[in-house]
């Protein structure tokens, strides 16, 4: 019987080349783990910051909604109107409704599906603000069916200032040519109705007082939904949890690798100790 030396054509872990390859693989895995941990941790921190911003926004909006009504911004302030500073402010404005230029915008509310009735309100200086007078169901969409409830002459309106909604609704673009509207796009509606000097916002009118037990007077105002989803804390826990999982997996892999290398070194020493120095036939 002939004892042959082991084949070293493919480096094994107990050779310098094998150890070098193993070290390179461990370094690459360590870099990937560090990048994953940093990314997940950064996402978790971002969600914490977003939560703080959202809570501040909710507090500011609550304060605006319950504040006394102030005069609606006039033309001199229109260029500065923005969502962060002005949306959901309670405002008051006066003028004459141009009922013949109203626009129906598709809506879904707690009263069902139907339309928002947007009617231009013209002030004494000629400026115009679109007022969302409220919701009407499909059976009340025709103006003659609710003409008796249309305010006539000088009218004062209170409500919430809202920012224009350009480009239509979700996956549905406005179609001015056919009169199909899915969002309250102030500029597009003004252009379609031939209106000039129009404010870059609209106002959701408050609900009109009604007698107990009386049939609803269309349109029904005061249906503004103010809701800000705030799941940032859940997202933060999720990202931080993933970061901890990556860290735990990296520590486990490091410990297992250390044990394996220790075992391999022990085995190599034992083999070297009992390896024959000569080959016999």
């Amino acid at each position: 019987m002939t004892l042959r030396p082991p084949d070293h054509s493919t480096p094994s872990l107990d050779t310098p080349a094998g150890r070098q390859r193993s070290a390179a693989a461990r370094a690459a895995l360590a870099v990937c783990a560090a990048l994953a941990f940093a990314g997940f941790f950064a996402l978790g921190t971002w969600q914490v910051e977003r939560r703080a911003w959202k809570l501040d926004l909710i507090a500011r909006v609550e304060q605006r909604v319950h504040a006394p009504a102030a005069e609606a911004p006039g033309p001199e302030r229109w260029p500065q109107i923005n969502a962060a500073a002005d949306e959901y402010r309670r405002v008051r404005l006066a003028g004459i409704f141009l009922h013949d230029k109203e626009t129906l915008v598709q809506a879904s509310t707690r009263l069902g599906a139907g339309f928002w009735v947007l009617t231009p309100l013209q002030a004494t200086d000629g400026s115009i603000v679109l007022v969302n007078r409220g919701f009407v169901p499909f059976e009340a969409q025709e103006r003659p069916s609710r003409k008796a409830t249309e305010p006539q002459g000088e009218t004062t309106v209170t409500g919430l200032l809202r920012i224009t909604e350009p480009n239509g609704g979700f996956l549905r673009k406005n179609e001015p040519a056919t009169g199909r509207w899915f969002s309250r796009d102030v500029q597009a509606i003004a252009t379609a109705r031939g209106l000039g000097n129009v404010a870059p916002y609209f106002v959701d009118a408050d609900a009109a007082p009604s007698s107990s037990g009386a049939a609803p007077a269309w349109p029904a105002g005061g249906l503004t939904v103010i809701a800000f989803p705030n799941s940032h804390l859940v997202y933060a826990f999720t990202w931080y949890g993933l970061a901890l999982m990556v860290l735990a997996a990296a520590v486990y892999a490091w410990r297992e690798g250390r044990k394996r290398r220790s075992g391999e070194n022990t085995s190599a020493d034992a083999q070297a100790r009992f390896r024959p120095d000569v080959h016999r036939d």
Side-chain angles (χ1 to χ4, degrees):
M1 183 177 66
T2 302
L3 296 177
R4 299 181 181 276
D7 183 8
H8 296 290
S9 59
T10 301
S12 62
L13 294 179
D14 60 350
T15 65
R19 287 193 292 270
Q20 186 177 6
R21 178 179 297 179
S22 178
R26 291 196 301 272
L29 289 175
V31 170
C32 291
L35 290 175
F37 175 83
F40 290 143
F41 189 84
L43 287 170
T45 301
W46 178 66
Q47 288 295 337
V48 171
E49 294 172 350
R50 288 281 297 173
R51 180 175 182 271
W53 169 82
K54 183 65 68 66
L55 291 176
D56 179 67
L57 173 64
I58 293 172
R60 284 188 284 114
V61 169
E62 283 293 318
Q63 184 179 20
R64 293 175 188 177
V65 168
H66 297 101
E71 289 296 326
E76 70 283 353
R77 278 204 54 209
W78 289 354
Q80 289 79 44
I81 295 296
N82 63 80
D86 299 290
E87 188 157 33
Y88 298 110
R89 289 193 182 279
R90 183 162 294 283
V91 296
R92 178 180 60 254
L93 61 162
I96 297 175
F97 277 115
L98 306 179
H99 293 290
D100 60 325
K101 295 184 181 295
E102 75 174 22
T103 300
L104 299 182
V105 180
Q106 286 199 11
S108 179
T109 73
R110 60 181 175 82
L111 298 180
F115 301 92
W116 297 121
V117 179
L118 266 67
T119 308
L121 184 73
Q122 187 171 45
T124 54
D125 63 359
S127 63
I128 292 175
V129 175
L130 289 185
V131 175
N132 176 15
R133 293 176 53 223
F135 168 82
V136 294
F138 290 107
E139 60 270 20
Q141 63 181 295
E142 298 298 331
R143 187 182 162 209
S145 66
R146 47 188 165 78
K147 196 168 184 179
T149 62
E150 291 181 348
Q152 301 296 325
E154 185 78 13
T155 303
T156 298
V157 176
T158 60
L160 301 178
L161 186 150
R162 302 294 309 280
I163 302 299
T164 183
E165 301 169 344
N167 303 323
F170 180 66
L171 298 178
R172 308 183 76 176
K173 290 187 175 296
N174 293 323
E175 301 174 12
T178 59
R180 292 169 59 84
W181 299 91
F182 303 100
S183 74
R184 292 162 290 191
D185 186 336
V186 170
Q187 188 55 54
I189 292 174
T191 300
R193 296 290 178 264
L195 302 171
N197 198 21
V198 179
Y201 60 86
F202 63 95
V203 173
D204 278 347
D206 291 338
S210 59
S211 302
S212 178
W218 306 116
L223 297 178
T224 305
V225 175
I226 303 175
F228 299 97
N230 188 15
S231 301
H232 299 293
L233 190 59
V234 174
Y235 297 149
F237 280 134
T238 301
W239 291 123
Y240 283 144
L242 289 172
L244 288 175
M245 289 173 63
V246 169
L247 182 61
V251 170
Y252 175 80
W254 175 77
R255 288 181 175 176
E256 289 299 308
R258 188 177 181 183
K259 290 179 182 178
R260 186 168 57 252
R261 289 191 300 275
S262 177
E264 289 169 354
N265 291 337
T266 302
S267 177
D269 290 343
Q271 290 178 8
R273 190 176 304 116
F274 294 105
R275 184 179 298 140
D277 294 324
V278 295
H279 301 286
R280 293 184 298 234
D281 293 330

